[in-house]
Amino acid sequence: MVLKILIFFKILMYLCVGNEMEEKIYTKESLISEFKEIYKKGWIRNTRGKNHGAVGNILEDLLGIKENNLPISNTNEWELKAQRNNTNSLTTLFHFEPSPKALKFVPKIFLPKYGWPHKEAGEKYSLTEMSFRQTINGVNATDRGFKINVDRQNKKILISFDKNLVALKHSDWLTAVGKNAGLGELSPQPYWGFDDLLYKVGTKLLNCFYIIAKTKKEENIEYFWYDKVYMLKKFSFENFLNQIELGNVYIDFDARTGHNHGTKFRIKQKTILNLYSEKKTINLE
């Protein structure tokens, strides 16, 4: 069957052609050809600012993808990820709030019971603005005592808290936590069930094109050269769990009283390759 051979990437492009909308279709092969054409362009000026997502935004522009409307992920088969080659920033895999969902754990528990005054409280925000920002892995606890635990027996990924691992500089905060929540383990513990995660990654990360761009600056202007493309197939949930246990996958909380930016699963650059059973480097020459 043709559909089993060709994987279609539906890209909706809203063009000013009367009142009509044109739909551009990429096959897997034609998308690779597009990557080769982008590679041939060489250095491309960054016109999207200094944020971490600029490298992906420029690539979206070059491919004709409407921002915040990633059509590749909408096929439920392929995801597009792009990153600078010289960055220590993490790649976001997906957003996923913890269970029990009914508790709204981040705004209802973490912020009021484990949060701390926002650095811009009384300036940009109100005096009562609280913050809870933690990037947590499964090897080393954060300086506020948070760590990821993989419970294979009960098929859960959990966030744990250990007062003994809190740095001395946060002693005042720890005293406040004791008054607000007690100093024992989180109860209940926020978690992600394996089955829920399997469904999430099955719709977001089953297959992935991972693009790395070289960077340079001339007269304080940044340029990208998209010179490496990896085609990654068959996301391995076992590999995903292994990478959490190795400390390469992080859970990132970023919330303040006025806004929860969302809980993200993120990964160290290039270790994303270890999440897939099949890896292929695309020859762009």
Side-chain angles (χ1 to χ4, degrees):
M1 192 182 227
V2 174
L3 289 177
K4 289 184 178 179
I5 299 173
L6 296 178
I7 299 175
F8 288 91
F9 301 89
K10 294 184 178 180
I11 296 184
L12 295 177
M13 299 181 65
Y14 296 87
L15 302 176
C16 298
V17 183
N19 294 320
E20 297 182 359
M21 293 185 298
E22 285 192 12
E23 183 177 292
K24 186 176 181 180
I25 302 295
Y26 279 125
T27 65
K28 180 174 61 178
E29 290 75 15
S30 66
L31 185 62
I32 291 172
S33 295
E34 195 71 23
F35 288 142
K36 291 181 179 181
E37 292 302 312
I38 292 171
Y39 168 76
K40 290 177 184 176
K41 294 178 185 292
W43 293 104
I44 297 167
R45 180 172 178 167
N46 175 11
T47 57
R48 289 299 207 105
K50 297 179 180 180
N51 62 79
H52 295 312
V55 63
N57 296 147
I58 296 294
L59 183 60
E60 290 169 357
D61 294 342
L62 293 168
L63 291 171
I65 297 174
K66 189 177 178 68
E67 187 174 0
N68 297 322
N69 181 27
L70 294 180
I72 293 176
S73 62
N74 290 344
T75 66
N76 292 332
E77 292 185 354
W78 289 88
E79 178 75 12
L80 182 69
K81 298 288 185 186
Q83 195 167 35
R84 295 169 173 85
N85 71 334
N86 59 350
T87 181
N88 292 321
S89 66
L90 303 172
T91 298
T92 298
L93 296 173
F94 51 83
H95 292 65
F96 202 7
E97 295 302 313
S99 295
K101 296 288 179 63
L103 293 183
K104 297 183 178 178
F105 213 96
V106 175
K108 299 297 185 181
I109 297 176
F110 272 151
L111 270 169
K113 295 186 176 182
Y114 294 87
W116 51 89
H118 195 282
K119 63 181 180 180
E120 293 183 282
E123 298 176 6
K124 184 176 181 180
Y125 305 115
S126 71
L127 283 169
T128 58
E129 191 80 4
M130 300 295 284
S131 176
F132 186 84
R133 300 187 69 181
Q134 290 283 276
T135 300
I136 307 168
N137 70 27
V139 174
N140 300 308
T142 69
D143 61 3
R144 293 184 190 266
F146 294 99
K147 187 180 177 183
I148 301 173
N149 283 332
V150 178
D151 184 348
R152 290 177 181 263
Q153 182 176 353
N154 293 305
K155 297 184 177 181
K156 291 181 178 181
I157 293 170
L158 306 106
I159 300 297
S160 289
F161 171 71
D162 187 342
K163 66 176 183 178
N164 298 310
L165 300 177
V166 176
L168 287 175
K169 65 180 180 179
H170 296 309
S171 57
D172 290 343
W173 169 79
L174 187 62
T175 299
V177 168
K179 293 178 181 178
N180 294 329
L183 296 178
E185 178 59 279
L186 298 170
S187 181
Q189 284 182 267
Y191 72 91
W192 295 261
F194 283 11
D195 289 343
D196 292 335
L197 283 165
L198 273 167
Y199 178 78
K200 186 72 171 183
V201 299
T203 57
K204 283 289 291 179
L205 296 170
L206 186 62
N207 303 299
C208 176
F209 278 102
Y210 181 53
I211 298 91
I212 297 177
K214 290 192 294 191
T215 64
K216 71 173 182 178
K217 278 192 175 182
E218 293 181 355
E219 298 181 354
N220 208 34
I221 296 172
E222 186 177 37
Y223 294 84
F224 300 133
W225 189 347
Y226 298 89
D227 70 330
K228 285 187 176 64
V229 176
Y230 299 95
M231 185 167 64
L232 310 175
K233 299 175 68 176
K234 297 182 180 179
F235 182 95
S236 167
F237 191 71
E238 179 63 25
N239 289 1
F240 175 65
L241 295 179
N242 290 340
Q243 292 303 310
I244 294 175
E245 292 172 329
L246 289 170
N248 293 326
V249 172
Y250 294 74
I251 296 176
D252 188 19
F253 294 95
D254 184 3
R256 59 177 177 82
T257 302
H259 184 65
N260 179 12
H261 293 278
T263 303
K264 309 173 189 69
F265 278 73
R266 309 179 75 193
I267 191 168
K268 288 181 179 178
Q269 186 184 29
K270 294 188 179 179
T271 56
I272 191 173
L273 305 180
N274 298 330
L275 299 180
Y276 292 85
S277 300
E278 296 183 14
K279 300 175 275 288
K280 179 181 178 181
T281 303
I282 303 300
N283 183 5
L284 298 177
E285 297 290 343

